[in-house]
Amino acid sequence: MIRVAIADDQQLIRAGFRSLLEAEPDIEIVGEAGTGAEAVSLVVATRPDVVLMDIRMPDGDGLWATEQIAKRPDLAGTHIVIVTTFELDEYVGRAIRAGASGFLVKDTEPVELIRAVHVVAGGDALLSPGVTRRLLERISTDLREQPDSSQLSVITEREREVLGLVGLGLTNDEIGARLFLSPLTAKTHVSRIMSKLAARDRVQLVVIAYETGLVRAGHGE
């Protein structure tokens, strides 16, 4: 059973999400919050698998709440999906760096919201398709002319190959096909890379791939 918490300052939005998700046989709603501070308290008390987090809330916004949750080792099993009406690059970048595992806009189709909960609960990460390329281009633009690749010294050559493909947005199945590996082996490589680079999830691996210069916008396809 996937345990989900909903944080949004609009009661109607919370009710809509609850109704949609509770119709799924493998999803349980553990609570709702209307402010950032309430969201943090709710997560500490219930330890959900997934939090659907609005950005603009009173008493500590969603980005602040995400930072508070992500920095606690005892909440490492909780994954946050930012769900907002504001599809702005600055919010996406801040959300990812705060520790969010996904970013969706509120006009996302219901089936995509349900899929997002399943994907993030499974330890993967996602961004709205329209957001991903702009985020990566922004990361690339913000990089120094000489990216620092020193942190990659702890991973093997094969793991560099895998990280590069993660940076391009490939799934484990696609990475396996590209490198002639089984999907399970590809997943194992990704897990080891996350551990070695102290990355919370796959989204942070994408950021690392760009920040270190392993992948550059417009290259590698």
Side-chain angles (χ1 to χ4, degrees), residues 61-93:
D61 65 15
L63 297 177
W64 172 85
T66 297
E67 289 173 345
Q68 302 309 303
I69 294 166
K71 72 181 182 181
R72 291 184 52 151
D74 59 322
L75 298 178
T78 294
H79 303 285
I80 299 169
V81 178
I82 299 292
V83 187
T84 181
T85 56
F86 304 98
E87 192 177 343
L88 301 178
D89 290 350
E90 62 186 275
Y91 285 132
V92 180

Side-chain angles (χ1 to χ4, degrees), residues 24-39:
E24 296 298 305
D26 61 344
I27 294 177
E28 173 191 3
I29 305 301
V30 299
E32 300 177 14
T35 71
E38 287 178 3

Side-chain angles (χ1 to χ4, degrees), residues 85-148:
T85 56
F86 304 98
E87 192 177 343
L88 301 178
D89 290 350
E90 62 186 275
Y91 285 132
V92 180
R94 285 182 61 198
I96 296 308
R97 294 185 185 282
S101 296
F103 190 104
L104 293 172
V105 290
K106 286 181 179 175
D107 62 359
T108 296
E109 293 293 327
V111 66
E112 288 301 312
L113 179 63
I114 294 169
R115 186 181 75 86
V117 169
H118 284 99
V119 167
V120 173
D124 212 331
L126 79 160
L127 297 166
S128 292
V131 170
T132 306
R133 185 167 297 279
R134 290 204 307 278
L135 170 65
L136 299 184
E137 288 174 350
R138 180 176 180 139
I139 290 171
S140 180
T141 300
D142 289 347
L143 287 176
R144 298 184 297 271
E145 288 188 11
Q146 295 298 324
D148 182 7

